[in-house]
Amino acid sequence: MSNDGVDTGRRMLLIGATAAVGAVGVVGAAVPFVRSWNPSAEAKAAGAPVEVDISQVQPGQRIVVKWRGKPVWILHRTPDQLSTLKKLDSRLRDPNCDDPQQPSYAKNEWRSIKPEYLVMVGICTHLGCSPMYVPEQGKVEASWLGGFFCPCHGSKYDLAGRVYSGMPAPKNMEVPPYSYTSPSVVLIGVDKEHPA
Ligand code: FES
């Protein structure tokens, strides 16, 4: 699949973006203060959770959705792709995700709630480029088992977004807060089991 795997046909709903309407008749001097502490409708929309129906994402396919201005990737990993993860531990900088920046469900072999679905912010942890999804084995190098390759300075990540050792990128790619509202609907931005 190409690196431009944005499927604009997917259902993507912004929720919780309705701006509260201020009460009529608030005494004059208080209004500017209240307004300065309440986010605008645009700001609320920009930070709102994003609900994504993943039922049509085919095995091996990655889709991209926008959340808080960031590209969030959802990759439906095949059984073969999942089987590569264990083989790479010795080549990775932080295979067990011991760095503390990740939600608890990123601290497993798959870095995800459901093994087959990777949900991850698609931004390189070096200087912020967007890595390419390169699922073909042997493509980046002879021992390549599939993963993500950043064209800016050559950082390599596996199919769970774990960075290889000795790369410019210092950390694994970010797993955002998310949860499932049904077996096939992901809510990006809300971690129901571990609310902030
Ligand atoms: S931004 Fe990805 S390797 Fe530098």
Side-chain angles (χ1 to χ4, degrees):
M1 160 177 191
S2 85
N3 192 45
D4 299 319
V6 182
D7 190 337
T8 53
R10 308 288 171 203
R11 183 165 72 101
M12 190 176 78
L13 301 174
L14 292 179
I15 64 171
T18 305
V21 177
V24 175
V26 175
V27 178
V31 173
F33 178 83
V34 171
R35 280 188 179 154
S36 72
W37 286 95
N38 279 308
S40 66
E42 291 85 349
K44 284 187 176 183
V50 176
E51 195 171 54
V52 187
D53 182 349
I54 58 172
S55 61
Q56 301 302 311
V57 183
Q58 300 302 307
Q61 183 183 11
R62 179 198 58 171
I63 65 168
V64 185
V65 297
K66 193 172 172 186
W67 170 70
R68 293 190 176 177
K70 302 175 184 177
V72 173
W73 298 346
I74 300 176
L75 170 62
H76 186 173
R77 291 175 292 202
T78 66
D80 279 353
Q81 289 180 319
L82 286 171
S83 73
T84 66
L85 301 179
K86 267 286 186 206
K87 301 173 185 169
L88 288 167
D89 281 7
S90 64
R91 300 173 60 190
L92 304 174
R93 198 192 72 74
D94 181 18
N96 299 315
C97 297
D98 291 325
D99 280 345
Q101 89 275 20
Q102 303 295 306
S104 59
Y105 40 82
K107 284 182 67 69
N108 57 40
E109 184 181 332
W110 315 284
R111 300 190 74 224
S112 58
I113 295 173
K114 295 186 180 187
E116 63 270 41
Y117 291 107
L118 174 68
V119 179
M120 188 168 71
V121 176
I123 296 176
C124 181
T125 61
H126 182 219
L127 294 176
C129 288
S130 183
M132 298 183 295
Y133 172 40
V134 187
E136 301 90 353
Q137 298 202 356
K139 187 95 175 183
V140 172
E141 57 191 354
S143 59
W144 185 250
L145 297 180
F148 306 101
F149 176 72
C150 185
C152 289
H153 312 98
S155 288
K156 294 179 284 186
Y157 302 85
D158 75 351
L159 286 165
R162 298 178 299 176
V163 69
Y164 281 59
S165 301
M167 297 291 117
K171 291 182 177 180
N172 296 338
M173 292 171 72
E174 177 190 352
V175 173
Y178 72 95
S179 48
Y180 283 84
T181 58
S182 80
S184 62
V185 176
V186 178
L187 186 61
I188 300 168
V190 175
D191 177 358
K192 286 187 174 170
E193 291 185 12
H194 311 89

